[in-house]
């Protein structure tokens, strides 16, 4: 099942299938196609999304997270 | 940049919070502010290092994730890189987050400046049981790779020794090595580790 990264529930994880935002912006933070990630937190009031990739936490804007398509485990 | 003292400029570049400033302090004896969170260095700190008969000006560049600047600190980093076209780049990587750091490292390498890579925070990597093969990285990248732990000064002397062996690397040669091929001779001028002077 595919979901937007911004729609992942807390603790849910999956594999990045495609990125519709500026790839560059996320790639340099370690989020790229094929990477496995886990939702850490989605801050309220359209706040940032924090995910764990390779044992490190990466924060991104909700809008950016909405551009990342994830295949849920 | 060679000024009238023939002093080489070294730019220390890397992701935020990989220990650039700690390493800078070790190399220069300076006292740049170091903390355990990213974004501590937002402007430029300069220091000097004399090693044997070589004299270096070392610039501690603010942390950046990429050379396509997305914030003020990254803009400063890119500007410093642009204004020092003759500098040697010391790319600093967090040994526990090698893959992320390599993104910036390859962007820097692609610009064609002589580079050396410091694999910092080796102590943390060991604690986390992360093994990093510096020799293999050196072989693949074609630039000297030195393992360091800035807070205990481990490897720092070796790093200082290796600065003058910084190499211009070639992305297509890196790609062929990753594919298990030996690149064309023209693409790799000399050995990354010894600068052509014979290996250890």
């Amino acid at each position: 099942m595919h979901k937007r990264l911004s729609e992942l529930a807390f603790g849910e994880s999956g594999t990045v299938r495609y990125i519709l935002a500026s790839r560059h912006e996320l790639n340099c933070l370690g989020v790229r196609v094929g990477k496995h990630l886990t939702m850490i937190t989605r801050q309220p009031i359209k706040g940032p999304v924090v995910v764990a990739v390779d044992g490190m936490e990466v924060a991104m804007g909700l809008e950016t997270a909405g551009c990342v398509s994830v295949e849920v485990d | 940049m060679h000024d009238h003292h023939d002093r080489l400029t070294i730019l220390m570049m890397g992701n935020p919070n990989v220990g650039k400033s700690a390493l800078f302090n070790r190399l220069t004896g300076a006292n740049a502010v170091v903390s355990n969170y990213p974004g501590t260095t937002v402007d430029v700190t300069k220091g000097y290092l004399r090693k044997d008969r070589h004299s270096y000006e070392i610039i501690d560049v603010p942390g950046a994730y990429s050379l396509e600047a997305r914030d003020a600190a990254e803009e400063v980093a890119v500007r410093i890189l642009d204004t020092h076209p003759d500098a040697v780049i010391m790319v600093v990587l967090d040994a526990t987050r090698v893959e992320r750091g390599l993104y910036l490292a390859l962007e820097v390498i692609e610009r064609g400046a002589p580079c050396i890579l410091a694999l910092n925070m080796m102590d943390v990597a060991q604690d986390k049981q992360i093994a990093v093969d510096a020799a293999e990285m050196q072989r693949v990248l074609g630039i000297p790779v030195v393992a360091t732990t800035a807070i205990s000064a481990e490897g720092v002397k070796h790093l200082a020794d290796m600065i003058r062996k910084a190499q211009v690397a070639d992305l297509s040669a890196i790609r062929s090595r990753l594919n298990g091929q030996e690149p064309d001779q023209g693409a790799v001028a000399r050995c990354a580790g010894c600068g052509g002077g014979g290996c250890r």
Side-chain angles (χ1 to χ4, degrees), chain B residues 68-92:
Chain B
E68 256 171 64
R70 302 169 309 149
D71 60 41
E74 287 189 348
E75 272 171 31
V76 173
V78 174
R79 199 171 64 233
I80 295 170
L81 198 57
D82 286 340
T83 51
H84 295 85
D86 299 325
V88 166
I89 317 293
M90 180 186 289
V91 181
V92 186

mmCIF file with all atom_site columns, all heavy atoms in Angstrom, chain B residues 68-92:
data_model
loop_
_atom_site.group_PDB
_atom_site.id
_atom_site.type_symbol
_atom_site.label_atom_id
_atom_site.label_alt_id
_atom_site.label_comp_id
_atom_site.label_asym_id
_atom_site.label_entity_id
_atom_site.label_seq_id
_atom_site.pdbx_PDB_ins_code
_atom_site.Cartn_x
_atom_site.Cartn_y
_atom_site.Cartn_z
_atom_site.occupancy
_atom_site.B_iso_or_equiv
_atom_site.pdbx_formal_charge
_atom_site.auth_seq_id
_atom_site.auth_comp_id
_atom_site.auth_asym_id
_atom_site.auth_atom_id
_atom_site.pdbx_PDB_model_num
ATOM 1   N N   . GLU B 1 68 ? 23.804 23.464 -2.793 1.00 0.00 ? 68 GLU B N   1
ATOM 2   C CA  . GLU B 1 68 ? 22.674 24.286 -3.219 1.00 0.00 ? 68 GLU B CA  1
ATOM 3   C C   . GLU B 1 68 ? 22.082 24.873 -1.957 1.00 0.00 ? 68 GLU B C   1
ATOM 4   O O   . GLU B 1 68 ? 21.274 24.244 -1.271 1.00 0.00 ? 68 GLU B O   1
ATOM 5   C CB  . GLU B 1 68 ? 21.626 23.435 -3.945 1.00 0.00 ? 68 GLU B CB  1
ATOM 6   C CG  . GLU B 1 68 ? 21.649 23.627 -5.444 1.00 0.00 ? 68 GLU B CG  1
ATOM 7   C CD  . GLU B 1 68 ? 20.755 22.630 -6.139 1.00 0.00 ? 68 GLU B CD  1
ATOM 8   O OE1 . GLU B 1 68 ? 19.531 22.695 -5.906 1.00 0.00 ? 68 GLU B OE1 1
ATOM 9   O OE2 . GLU B 1 68 ? 21.274 21.788 -6.882 1.00 0.00 ? 68 GLU B OE2 1
ATOM 10  N N   . ALA B 1 69 ? 22.521 26.091 -1.628 1.00 0.00 ? 69 ALA B N   1
ATOM 11  C CA  . ALA B 1 69 ? 22.246 26.650 -0.312 1.00 0.00 ? 69 ALA B CA  1
ATOM 12  C C   . ALA B 1 69 ? 20.754 26.753 -0.029 1.00 0.00 ? 69 ALA B C   1
ATOM 13  O O   . ALA B 1 69 ? 19.978 27.179 -0.875 1.00 0.00 ? 69 ALA B O   1
ATOM 14  C CB  . ALA B 1 69 ? 22.892 28.018 -0.207 1.00 0.00 ? 69 ALA B CB  1
ATOM 15  N N   . ARG B 1 70 ? 20.365 26.334 1.173  1.00 0.00 ? 70 ARG B N   1
ATOM 16  C CA  . ARG B 1 70 ? 18.970 26.412 1.579  1.00 0.00 ? 70 ARG B CA  1
ATOM 17  C C   . ARG B 1 70 ? 18.795 27.281 2.814  1.00 0.00 ? 70 ARG B C   1
ATOM 18  O O   . ARG B 1 70 ? 17.685 27.538 3.236  1.00 0.00 ? 70 ARG B O   1
ATOM 19  C CB  . ARG B 1 70 ? 18.429 25.003 1.850  1.00 0.00 ? 70 ARG B CB  1
ATOM 20  C CG  . ARG B 1 70 ? 18.556 24.079 0.633  1.00 0.00 ? 70 ARG B CG  1
ATOM 21  C CD  . ARG B 1 70 ? 18.268 22.655 1.023  1.00 0.00 ? 70 ARG B CD  1
ATOM 22  N NE  . ARG B 1 70 ? 19.070 22.278 2.184  1.00 0.00 ? 70 ARG B NE  1
ATOM 23  C CZ  . ARG B 1 70 ? 18.691 21.407 3.095  1.00 0.00 ? 70 ARG B CZ  1
ATOM 24  N NH1 . ARG B 1 70 ? 17.528 20.841 3.016  1.00 0.00 ? 70 ARG B NH1 1
ATOM 25  N NH2 . ARG B 1 70 ? 19.478 21.123 4.100  1.00 0.00 ? 70 ARG B NH2 1
ATOM 26  N N   . ASP B 1 71 ? 19.883 27.683 3.440  1.00 0.00 ? 71 ASP B N   1
ATOM 27  C CA  . ASP B 1 71 ? 19.775 28.613 4.570  1.00 0.00 ? 71 ASP B CA  1
ATOM 28  C C   . ASP B 1 71 ? 21.027 29.493 4.618  1.00 0.00 ? 71 ASP B C   1
ATOM 29  O O   . ASP B 1 71 ? 21.945 29.328 3.825  1.00 0.00 ? 71 ASP B O   1
ATOM 30  C CB  . ASP B 1 71 ? 19.546 27.871 5.895  1.00 0.00 ? 71 ASP B CB  1
ATOM 31  C CG  . ASP B 1 71 ? 20.690 26.909 6.235  1.00 0.00 ? 71 ASP B CG  1
ATOM 32  O OD1 . ASP B 1 71 ? 21.848 27.286 6.025  1.00 0.00 ? 71 ASP B OD1 1
ATOM 33  O OD2 . ASP B 1 71 ? 20.399 25.803 6.699  1.00 0.00 ? 71 ASP B OD2 1
ATOM 34  N N   . ALA B 1 72 ? 21.030 30.423 5.583  1.00 0.00 ? 72 ALA B N   1
ATOM 35  C CA  . ALA B 1 72 ? 22.095 31.426 5.639  1.00 0.00 ? 72 ALA B CA  1
ATOM 36  C C   . ALA B 1 72 ? 23.467 30.784 5.837  1.00 0.00 ? 72 ALA B C   1
ATOM 37  O O   . ALA B 1 72 ? 24.442 31.185 5.186  1.00 0.00 ? 72 ALA B O   1
ATOM 38  C CB  . ALA B 1 72 ? 21.804 32.415 6.757  1.00 0.00 ? 72 ALA B CB  1
ATOM 39  N N   . ALA B 1 73 ? 23.537 29.774 6.707  1.00 0.00 ? 73 ALA B N   1
ATOM 40  C CA  . ALA B 1 73 ? 24.832 29.145 6.971  1.00 0.00 ? 73 ALA B CA  1
ATOM 41  C C   . ALA B 1 73 ? 25.354 28.455 5.713  1.00 0.00 ? 73 ALA B C   1
ATOM 42  O O   . ALA B 1 73 ? 26.545 28.505 5.411  1.00 0.00 ? 73 ALA B O   1
ATOM 43  C CB  . ALA B 1 73 ? 24.708 28.142 8.121  1.00 0.00 ? 73 ALA B CB  1
ATOM 44  N N   . GLU B 1 74 ? 24.451 27.822 4.976  1.00 0.00 ? 74 GLU B N   1
ATOM 45  C CA  . GLU B 1 74 ? 24.873 27.146 3.744  1.00 0.00 ? 74 GLU B CA  1
ATOM 46  C C   . GLU B 1 74 ? 25.308 28.166 2.694  1.00 0.00 ? 74 GLU B C   1
ATOM 47  O O   . GLU B 1 74 ? 26.237 27.913 1.934  1.00 0.00 ? 74 GLU B O   1
ATOM 48  C CB  . GLU B 1 74 ? 23.743 26.264 3.195  1.00 0.00 ? 74 GLU B CB  1
ATOM 49  C CG  . GLU B 1 74 ? 23.543 25.008 4.034  1.00 0.00 ? 74 GLU B CG  1
ATOM 50  C CD  . GLU B 1 74 ? 22.591 23.998 3.420  1.00 0.00 ? 74 GLU B CD  1
ATOM 51  O OE1 . GLU B 1 74 ? 21.895 24.348 2.445  1.00 0.00 ? 74 GLU B OE1 1
ATOM 52  O OE2 . GLU B 1 74 ? 22.532 22.866 3.940  1.00 0.00 ? 74 GLU B OE2 1
ATOM 53  N N   . GLU B 1 75 ? 24.633 29.342 2.683  1.00 0.00 ? 75 GLU B N   1
ATOM 54  C CA  . GLU B 1 75 ? 25.051 30.389 1.744  1.00 0.00 ? 75 GLU B CA  1
ATOM 55  C C   . GLU B 1 75 ? 26.473 30.831 2.038  1.00 0.00 ? 75 GLU B C   1
ATOM 56  O O   . GLU B 1 75 ? 27.278 31.031 1.124  1.00 0.00 ? 75 GLU B O   1
ATOM 57  C CB  . GLU B 1 75 ? 24.102 31.594 1.837  1.00 0.00 ? 75 GLU B CB  1
ATOM 58  C CG  . GLU B 1 75 ? 22.900 31.464 0.928  1.00 0.00 ? 75 GLU B CG  1
ATOM 59  C CD  . GLU B 1 75 ? 21.877 32.545 1.190  1.00 0.00 ? 75 GLU B CD  1
ATOM 60  O OE1 . GLU B 1 75 ? 22.284 33.660 1.579  1.00 0.00 ? 75 GLU B OE1 1
ATOM 61  O OE2 . GLU B 1 75 ? 20.680 32.266 1.013  1.00 0.00 ? 75 GLU B OE2 1
ATOM 62  N N   . VAL B 1 76 ? 26.780 30.991 3.330  1.00 0.00 ? 76 VAL B N   1
ATOM 63  C CA  . VAL B 1 76 ? 28.140 31.368 3.727  1.00 0.00 ? 76 VAL B CA  1
ATOM 64  C C   . VAL B 1 76 ? 29.121 30.303 3.247  1.00 0.00 ? 76 VAL B C   1
ATOM 65  O O   . VAL B 1 76 ? 30.158 30.606 2.660  1.00 0.00 ? 76 VAL B O   1
ATOM 66  C CB  . VAL B 1 76 ? 28.242 31.539 5.269  1.00 0.00 ? 76 VAL B CB  1
ATOM 67  C CG1 . VAL B 1 76 ? 29.691 31.761 5.689  1.00 0.00 ? 76 VAL B CG1 1
ATOM 68  C CG2 . VAL B 1 76 ? 27.380 32.693 5.743  1.00 0.00 ? 76 VAL B CG2 1
ATOM 69  N N   . ALA B 1 77 ? 28.755 29.040 3.451  1.00 0.00 ? 77 ALA B N   1
ATOM 70  C CA  . ALA B 1 77 ? 29.640 27.933 3.060  1.00 0.00 ? 77 ALA B CA  1
ATOM 71  C C   . ALA B 1 77 ? 29.936 27.975 1.561  1.00 0.00 ? 77 ALA B C   1
ATOM 72  O O   . ALA B 1 77 ? 31.088 27.850 1.141  1.00 0.00 ? 77 ALA B O   1
ATOM 73  C CB  . ALA B 1 77 ? 29.008 26.600 3.449  1.00 0.00 ? 77 ALA B CB  1
ATOM 74  N N   . VAL B 1 78 ? 28.901 28.164 0.759  1.00 0.00 ? 78 VAL B N   1
ATOM 75  C CA  . VAL B 1 78 ? 29.084 28.181 -0.693 1.00 0.00 ? 78 VAL B CA  1
ATOM 76  C C   . VAL B 1 78 ? 29.910 29.396 -1.110 1.00 0.00 ? 78 VAL B C   1
ATOM 77  O O   . VAL B 1 78 ? 30.777 29.305 -1.975 1.00 0.00 ? 78 VAL B O   1
ATOM 78  C CB  . VAL B 1 78 ? 27.714 28.166 -1.412 1.00 0.00 ? 78 VAL B CB  1
ATOM 79  C CG1 . VAL B 1 78 ? 27.888 28.342 -2.905 1.00 0.00 ? 78 VAL B CG1 1
ATOM 80  C CG2 . VAL B 1 78 ? 26.971 26.871 -1.103 1.00 0.00 ? 78 VAL B CG2 1
ATOM 81  N N   . ARG B 1 79 ? 29.659 30.540 -0.440 1.00 0.00 ? 79 ARG B N   1
ATOM 82  C CA  . ARG B 1 79 ? 30.402 31.750 -0.790 1.00 0.00 ? 79 ARG B CA  1
ATOM 83  C C   . ARG B 1 79 ? 31.890 31.576 -0.491 1.00 0.00 ? 79 ARG B C   1
ATOM 84  O O   . ARG B 1 79 ? 32.744 31.977 -1.282 1.00 0.00 ? 79 ARG B O   1
ATOM 85  C CB  . ARG B 1 79 ? 29.828 32.955 -0.036 1.00 0.00 ? 79 ARG B CB  1
ATOM 86  C CG  . ARG B 1 79 ? 30.225 34.277 -0.670 1.00 0.00 ? 79 ARG B CG  1
ATOM 87  C CD  . ARG B 1 79 ? 29.489 35.444 -0.052 1.00 0.00 ? 79 ARG B CD  1
ATOM 88  N NE  . ARG B 1 79 ? 29.813 35.623 1.345  1.00 0.00 ? 79 ARG B NE  1
ATOM 89  C CZ  . ARG B 1 79 ? 28.907 35.693 2.327  1.00 0.00 ? 79 ARG B CZ  1
ATOM 90  N NH1 . ARG B 1 79 ? 27.634 35.603 2.054  1.00 0.00 ? 79 ARG B NH1 1
ATOM 91  N NH2 . ARG B 1 79 ? 29.288 35.865 3.569  1.00 0.00 ? 79 ARG B NH2 1
ATOM 92  N N   . ILE B 1 80 ? 32.198 30.976 0.648  1.00 0.00 ? 80 ILE B N   1
ATOM 93  C CA  . ILE B 1 80 ? 33.614 30.759 0.994  1.00 0.00 ? 80 ILE B CA  1
ATOM 94  C C   . ILE B 1 80 ? 34.275 29.852 -0.047 1.00 0.00 ? 80 ILE B C   1
ATOM 95  O O   . ILE B 1 80 ? 35.389 30.100 -0.501 1.00 0.00 ? 80 ILE B O   1
ATOM 96  C CB  . ILE B 1 80 ? 33.743 30.123 2.399  1.00 0.00 ? 80 ILE B CB  1
ATOM 97  C CG1 . ILE B 1 80 ? 33.237 31.103 3.452  1.00 0.00 ? 80 ILE B CG1 1
ATOM 98  C CG2 . ILE B 1 80 ? 35.200 29.755 2.690  1.00 0.00 ? 80 ILE B CG2 1
ATOM 99  C CD1 . ILE B 1 80 ? 33.095 30.505 4.823  1.00 0.00 ? 80 ILE B CD1 1
ATOM 100 N N   . LEU B 1 81 ? 33.550 28.821 -0.443 1.00 0.00 ? 81 LEU B N   1
ATOM 101 C CA  . LEU B 1 81 ? 34.074 27.898 -1.453 1.00 0.00 ? 81 LEU B CA  1
ATOM 102 C C   . LEU B 1 81 ? 34.337 28.646 -2.770 1.00 0.00 ? 81 LEU B C   1
ATOM 103 O O   . LEU B 1 81 ? 35.374 28.471 -3.402 1.00 0.00 ? 81 LEU B O   1
ATOM 104 C CB  . LEU B 1 81 ? 33.055 26.777 -1.662 1.00 0.00 ? 81 LEU B CB  1
ATOM 105 C CG  . LEU B 1 81 ? 33.504 25.494 -2.329 1.00 0.00 ? 81 LEU B CG  1
ATOM 106 C CD1 . LEU B 1 81 ? 34.665 24.867 -1.589 1.00 0.00 ? 81 LEU B CD1 1
ATOM 107 C CD2 . LEU B 1 81 ? 32.347 24.503 -2.393 1.00 0.00 ? 81 LEU B CD2 1
ATOM 108 N N   . ASP B 1 82 ? 33.393 29.509 -3.146 1.00 0.00 ? 82 ASP B N   1
ATOM 109 C CA  . ASP B 1 82 ? 33.534 30.270 -4.395 1.00 0.00 ? 82 ASP B CA  1
ATOM 110 C C   . ASP B 1 82 ? 34.693 31.255 -4.349 1.00 0.00 ? 82 ASP B C   1
ATOM 111 O O   . ASP B 1 82 ? 35.343 31.507 -5.361 1.00 0.00 ? 82 ASP B O   1
ATOM 112 C CB  . ASP B 1 82 ? 32.238 31.044 -4.690 1.00 0.00 ? 82 ASP B CB  1
ATOM 113 C CG  . ASP B 1 82 ? 31.120 30.123 -5.168 1.00 0.00 ? 82 ASP B CG  1
ATOM 114 O OD1 . ASP B 1 82 ? 31.446 29.006 -5.630 1.00 0.00 ? 82 ASP B OD1 1
ATOM 115 O OD2 . ASP B 1 82 ? 29.952 30.509 -5.083 1.00 0.00 ? 82 ASP B OD2 1
ATOM 116 N N   . THR B 1 83 ? 34.932 31.840 -3.163 1.00 0.00 ? 83 THR B N   1
ATOM 117 C CA  . THR B 1 83 ? 35.962 32.879 -3.088 1.00 0.00 ? 83 THR B CA  1
ATOM 118 C C   . THR B 1 83 ? 37.362 32.314 -2.830 1.00 0.00 ? 83 THR B C   1
ATOM 119 O O   . THR B 1 83 ? 38.315 33.073 -2.739 1.00 0.00 ? 83 THR B O   1
ATOM 120 C CB  . THR B 1 83 ? 35.628 33.913 -1.984 1.00 0.00 ? 83 THR B CB  1
ATOM 121 O OG1 . THR B 1 83 ? 35.344 33.211 -0.775 1.00 0.00 ? 83 THR B OG1 1
ATOM 122 C CG2 . THR B 1 83 ? 34.427 34.757 -2.370 1.00 0.00 ? 83 THR B CG2 1
ATOM 123 N N   . HIS B 1 84 ? 37.470 30.983 -2.672 1.00 0.00 ? 84 HIS B N   1
ATOM 124 C CA  . HIS B 1 84 ? 38.793 30.365 -2.482 1.00 0.00 ? 84 HIS B CA  1
ATOM 125 C C   . HIS B 1 84 ? 39.004 29.268 -3.508 1.00 0.00 ? 84 HIS B C   1
ATOM 126 O O   . HIS B 1 84 ? 39.084 28.094 -3.168 1.00 0.00 ? 84 HIS B O   1
ATOM 127 C CB  . HIS B 1 84 ? 38.938 29.799 -1.071 1.00 0.00 ? 84 HIS B CB  1
ATOM 128 C CG  . HIS B 1 84 ? 38.922 30.828 0.000  1.00 0.00 ? 84 HIS B CG  1
ATOM 129 N ND1 . HIS B 1 84 ? 37.763 31.321 0.551  1.00 0.00 ? 84 HIS B ND1 1
ATOM 130 C CD2 . HIS B 1 84 ? 39.935 31.489 0.614  1.00 0.00 ? 84 HIS B CD2 1
ATOM 131 C CE1 . HIS B 1 84 ? 38.064 32.220 1.466  1.00 0.00 ? 84 HIS B CE1 1
ATOM 132 N NE2 . HIS B 1 84 ? 39.373 32.350 1.519  1.00 0.00 ? 84 HIS B NE2 1
ATOM 133 N N   . PRO B 1 85 ? 39.094 29.648 -4.773 1.00 0.00 ? 85 PRO B N   1
ATOM 134 C CA  . PRO B 1 85 ? 39.182 28.637 -5.824 1.00 0.00 ? 85 PRO B CA  1
ATOM 135 C C   . PRO B 1 85 ? 40.446 27.782 -5.759 1.00 0.00 ? 85 PRO B C   1
ATOM 136 O O   . PRO B 1 85 ? 40.479 26.682 -6.300 1.00 0.00 ? 85 PRO B O   1
ATOM 137 C CB  . PRO B 1 85 ? 39.153 29.469 -7.120 1.00 0.00 ? 85 PRO B CB  1
ATOM 138 C CG  . PRO B 1 85 ? 39.566 30.835 -6.720 1.00 0.00 ? 85 PRO B CG  1
ATOM 139 C CD  . PRO B 1 85 ? 39.135 31.021 -5.306 1.00 0.00 ? 85 PRO B CD  1
ATOM 140 N N   . ASP B 1 86 ? 41.492 28.269 -5.059 1.00 0.00 ? 86 ASP B N   1
ATOM 141 C CA  . ASP B 1 86 ? 42.742 27.504 -5.006 1.00 0.00 ? 86 ASP B CA  1
ATOM 142 C C   . ASP B 1 86 ? 42.898 26.702 -3.720 1.00 0.00 ? 86 ASP B C   1
ATOM 143 O O   . ASP B 1 86 ? 43.952 26.111 -3.481 1.00 0.00 ? 86 ASP B O   1
ATOM 144 C CB  . ASP B 1 86 ? 43.945 28.450 -5.142 1.00 0.00 ? 86 ASP B CB  1
ATOM 145 C CG  . ASP B 1 86 ? 43.921 29.183 -6.471 1.00 0.00 ? 86 ASP B CG  1
ATOM 146 O OD1 . ASP B 1 86 ? 43.488 28.561 -7.460 1.00 0.00 ? 86 ASP B OD1 1
ATOM 147 O OD2 . ASP B 1 86 ? 44.313 30.362 -6.503 1.00 0.00 ? 86 ASP B OD2 1
ATOM 148 N N   . ALA B 1 87 ? 41.861 26.714 -2.894 1.00 0.00 ? 87 ALA B N   1
ATOM 149 C CA  . ALA B 1 87 ? 41.982 26.067 -1.583 1.00 0.00 ? 87 ALA B CA  1
ATOM 150 C C   . ALA B 1 87 ? 41.916 24.553 -1.701 1.00 0.00 ? 87 ALA B C   1
ATOM 151 O O   . ALA B 1 87 ? 41.344 24.001 -2.645 1.00 0.00 ? 87 ALA B O   1
ATOM 152 C CB  . ALA B 1 87 ? 40.879 26.557 -0.655 1.00 0.00 ? 87 ALA B CB  1
ATOM 153 N N   . VAL B 1 88 ? 42.524 23.907 -0.715 1.00 0.00 ? 88 VAL B N   1
ATOM 154 C CA  . VAL B 1 88 ? 42.347 22.467 -0.531 1.00 0.00 ? 88 VAL B CA  1
ATOM 155 C C   . VAL B 1 88 ? 41.113 22.297 0.349  1.00 0.00 ? 88 VAL B C   1
ATOM 156 O O   . VAL B 1 88 ? 40.930 23.032 1.312  1.00 0.00 ? 88 VAL B O   1
ATOM 157 C CB  . VAL B 1 88 ? 43.587 21.866 0.177  1.00 0.00 ? 88 VAL B CB  1
ATOM 158 C CG1 . VAL B 1 88 ? 43.289 20.449 0.679  1.00 0.00 ? 88 VAL B CG1 1
ATOM 159 C CG2 . VAL B 1 88 ? 44.776 21.858 -0.768 1.00 0.00 ? 88 VAL B CG2 1
ATOM 160 N N   . ILE B 1 89 ? 40.252 21.344 0.003  1.00 0.00 ? 89 ILE B N   1
ATOM 161 C CA  . ILE B 1 89 ? 39.049 21.133 0.801  1.00 0.00 ? 89 ILE B CA  1
ATOM 162 C C   . ILE B 1 89 ? 39.235 19.924 1.699  1.00 0.00 ? 89 ILE B C   1
ATOM 163 O O   . ILE B 1 89 ? 39.546 18.829 1.208  1.00 0.00 ? 89 ILE B O   1
ATOM 164 C CB  . ILE B 1 89 ? 37.798 20.894 -0.087 1.00 0.00 ? 89 ILE B CB  1
ATOM 165 C CG1 . ILE B 1 89 ? 37.763 21.850 -1.275 1.00 0.00 ? 89 ILE B CG1 1
ATOM 166 C CG2 . ILE B 1 89 ? 36.522 20.982 0.759  1.00 0.00 ? 89 ILE B CG2 1
ATOM 167 C CD1 . ILE B 1 89 ? 37.569 23.287 -0.944 1.00 0.00 ? 89 ILE B CD1 1
ATOM 168 N N   . MET B 1 90 ? 39.062 20.135 2.993  1.00 0.00 ? 90 MET B N   1
ATOM 169 C CA  . MET B 1 90 ? 39.047 19.014 3.923  1.00 0.00 ? 90 MET B CA  1
ATOM 170 C C   . MET B 1 90 ? 37.587 18.717 4.237  1.00 0.00 ? 90 MET B C   1
ATOM 171 O O   . MET B 1 90 ? 36.917 19.488 4.910  1.00 0.00 ? 90 MET B O   1
ATOM 172 C CB  . MET B 1 90 ? 39.807 19.362 5.201  1.00 0.00 ? 90 MET B CB  1
ATOM 173 C CG  . MET B 1 90 ? 39.819 18.214 6.206  1.00 0.00 ? 90 MET B CG  1
ATOM 174 S SD  . MET B 1 90 ? 40.566 18.698 7.765  1.00 0.00 ? 90 MET B SD  1
ATOM 175 C CE  . MET B 1 90 ? 42.283 18.847 7.293  1.00 0.00 ? 90 MET B CE  1
ATOM 176 N N   . VAL B 1 91 ? 37.088 17.611 3.692  1.00 0.00 ? 91 VAL B N   1
ATOM 177 C CA  . VAL B 1 91 ? 35.698 17.237 3.933  1.00 0.00 ? 91 VAL B CA  1
ATOM 178 C C   . VAL B 1 91 ? 35.655 16.429 5.230  1.00 0.00 ? 91 VAL B C   1
ATOM 179 O O   . VAL B 1 91 ? 36.404 15.466 5.386  1.00 0.00 ? 91 VAL B O   1
ATOM 180 C CB  . VAL B 1 91 ? 35.136 16.397 2.769  1.00 0.00 ? 91 VAL B CB  1
ATOM 181 C CG1 . VAL B 1 91 ? 33.676 16.043 3.035  1.00 0.00 ? 91 VAL B CG1 1
ATOM 182 C CG2 . VAL B 1 91 ? 35.273 17.144 1.462  1.00 0.00 ? 91 VAL B CG2 1
ATOM 183 N N   . VAL B 1 92 ? 34.816 16.853 6.153  1.00 0.00 ? 92 VAL B N   1
ATOM 184 C CA  . VAL B 1 92 ? 34.704 16.158 7.436  1.00 0.00 ? 92 VAL B CA  1
ATOM 185 C C   . VAL B 1 92 ? 33.397 15.372 7.453  1.00 0.00 ? 92 VAL B C   1
ATOM 186 O O   . VAL B 1 92 ? 32.324 15.921 7.185  1.00 0.00 ? 92 VAL B O   1
ATOM 187 C CB  . VAL B 1 92 ? 34.756 17.148 8.628  1.00 0.00 ? 92 VAL B CB  1
ATOM 188 C CG1 . VAL B 1 92 ? 34.775 16.387 9.942  1.00 0.00 ? 92 VAL B CG1 1
ATOM 189 C CG2 . VAL B 1 92 ? 35.974 18.052 8.511  1.00 0.00 ? 92 VAL B CG2 1
#
